[in-house]
C-alpha cells in the first residue's frame, strides 16, 4: 500500500496473481521479459477496479558485424554490415579513418587502407528503444609483395657448363611465400639456375612469380639469359693458286 500525492488517496499494489503486495513493487532487471502488476486506487474509502500495469525488460542489443572478408591483400575493399537495422548505428575503432560512412547500417572499409602488421579494429555501437549494444571485428590488410631478378652475368658461351644463379629479391623482405620459376631450374623459393650448355644459342626469358603465404601475388617479373654460339672462323688464302717459285 502506498499513498499518492493526494492524502485522501491510497494506492494498493498486487502481483500478477492479484495477491496484495506490502508495498509498491520494484521489477527485476536481471532477465528480459514482461511482468504484470495491478494497482488499486482508493479515494475516501472507495476502491477502484484493479488496473494492470505491464513492465517490460528488454534484452541488451546484440549486433553482429558481418565482413565480406576478414583478411585481404592491400588494395582490396571490405563490405561491412550488420544482420539487422537499429535506430542508431555508430562505427569507430582504428579502421574508422578508412570507412566510407560511420553512422549508416552498412559501410565499406576502403581499398586505400595500407597494409599493416597489426589488424584494424572495427567497433559498432547501436541503440534502439532505449537499449544499447556493441560488437567488435578485426580486418587484416596483408602486404602485396614485389619482386625483381638479378644475375651476375646474363651472357655466356654455349660451352659454359657452370650453373648461373638467378636471384629473386622480394619486398617486404619479411614476407614468406612460394616462388614459381619459368625457363630456369628452381633451387629455392627465391633462387634458380640456368646452365648455358644445356641450351642452343639464343636469347631466353626467365620468369618469376611469387605468391605470399597470405595469398597475395606479386606482379610477374623476368630477365633474359643469352647463350652465344662459338665463333666459326673462315680461313682464306689469297691468292690460292701460285707457282712454286712464288713461295721461294
Amino acid at each position: 500500500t502506498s499513498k499518492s500525492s493526494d492524502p485522501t488517496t491510497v494506492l494498493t499494489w498486487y502481483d500478477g496473481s492479484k495477491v496484495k503486495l506490502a508495498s509498491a513493487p520494484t521489477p527485476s532487471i536481471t532477465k528480459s521479459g514482461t511482468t504484470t502488476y495491478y494497482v488499486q486506487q482508493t479515494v475516501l474509502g472507495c476502491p477502484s477496479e484493479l488496473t494492470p500495469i505491464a513492465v517490460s525488460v528488454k534484452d541488451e542489443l546484440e549486433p553482429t558485424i558481418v565482413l565480406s572478408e576478414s583478411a585481404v591483400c592491400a588494395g582490396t575493399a571490405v563490405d561491412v554490415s550488420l544482420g539487422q537495422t537499429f535506430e542508431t548505428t555508430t562505427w569507430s575503432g582504428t579502421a574508422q579513418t578508412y570507412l566510407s560512412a560511420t553512422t549508416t547500417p552498412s559501410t565499406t572499409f576502403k581499398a586505400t587502407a595500407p597494409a599493416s602488421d597489426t589488424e584494424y579494429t572495427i567497433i559498432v555501437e547501436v541503440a534502439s528503444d532505449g537499449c544499447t549494444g556493441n560488437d567488435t571485428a578485426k580486418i587484416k590488410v596483408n602486404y602485396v609483395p614485389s619482386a625483381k631478378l638479378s644475375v651476375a652475368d646474363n651472357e655466356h658461351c654455349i660451352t659454359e657448363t657452370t650453373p648461373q644463379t638467378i636471384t629473386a629479391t622480394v619486398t617486404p623482405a619479411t614476407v614468406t611465400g612460394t616462388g614459381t620459376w619459368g625457363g630456369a631450374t628452381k633451387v629455392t623459393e627465391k633462387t634458380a639456375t640456368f646452365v648455358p650448355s644445356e641450351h642452343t644459342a639464343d636469347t631466353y626469358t626467365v620468369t618469376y612469380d611469387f605468391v605470399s603465404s597470405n595469398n597475395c601475388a606479386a606482379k610477374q617479373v623476368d630477365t633474359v639469359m643469352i647463350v652465344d654460339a662459338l665463333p666459326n672462323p673462315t680461313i682464306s688464302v689469297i691468292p690460292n693458286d701460285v707457282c712454286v717459285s712464288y713461295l721461294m
Side-chain angles (χ1 to χ4, degrees):
T1 303
S2 61
K3 292 183 178 180
S4 70
S5 58
D6 184 347
T8 64
T9 298
V10 176
L11 300 178
T12 304
W13 292 90
Y14 299 82
D15 65 14
S17 299
K18 298 183 179 180
V19 176
K20 185 177 179 180
L21 299 175
S23 61
T26 301
S28 171
I29 58 173
T30 58
K31 62 179 181 178
S32 62
T34 300
T35 302
T36 300
Y37 299 95
Y38 292 88
V39 65
Q40 183 182 60
Q41 183 181 37
T42 301
V43 179
L44 299 176
C46 297
S48 68
E49 296 292 330
L50 298 184
T51 300
I53 296 178
V55 178
S56 295
V57 178
K58 300 175 183 178
D59 286 319
E60 181 178 349
L61 301 181
E62 297 182 350
T64 300
I65 297 175
V66 179
L67 304 175
S68 59
E69 301 260 10
S70 60
V72 295
C73 301
T76 303
V78 177
D79 294 327
V80 183
S81 62
L82 296 173
Q84 61 189 109
T85 301
F86 301 92
E87 289 179 0
T88 63
T89 302
T90 303
W91 300 95
S92 61
T94 58
Q96 182 177 6
T97 302
Y98 304 103
L99 296 178
S100 60
T102 57
T103 58
T104 55
S106 60
T107 185
T108 299
F109 181 70
K110 299 177 183 178
T112 54
S116 174
D117 292 327
T118 58
E119 295 175 308
Y120 289 92
T121 300
I122 297 180
I123 300 171
V124 67
E125 296 176 324
V126 298
S128 285
D129 297 328
C131 296
T132 61
N134 61 78
D135 191 26
T136 301
K138 295 181 182 295
I139 297 176
K140 183 70 170 66
V141 180
N142 296 305
Y143 293 95
V144 175
S146 62
K148 65 178 181 179
L149 300 180
S150 61
V151 60
D153 188 355
N154 74 327
E155 186 170 7
H156 296 272
C157 292
I158 196 170
T159 54
E160 180 60 72
T161 59
T162 302
Q164 304 302 305
T165 299
I166 305 168
T167 301
T169 301
V170 176
T171 304
T174 55
V175 173
T176 59
T178 302
T180 302
W181 294 87
T185 302
K186 180 177 179 177
V187 178
T188 69
E189 301 301 338
K190 296 180 181 179
T191 60
T193 57
F194 180 92
V195 182
S197 63
E198 295 178 354
H199 299 77
T200 58
D202 206 340
T203 298
Y204 296 87
T205 299
V206 175
T207 61
Y208 180 72
D209 295 276
F210 183 82
V211 179
S212 73
S213 55
N214 293 314
N215 204 34
C216 297
K219 182 179 179 180
Q220 186 184 81
V221 291
D222 61 60
T223 190
V224 296
M225 297 298 291
I226 302 171
V227 178
D228 293 323
L230 292 177
N232 185 19
T234 300
I235 300 176
S236 59
V237 178
I238 301 175
N240 65 351
D241 185 10
V242 297
C243 296
V244 174
S245 59
Y246 184 83
L247 301 176
M248 297 178 64

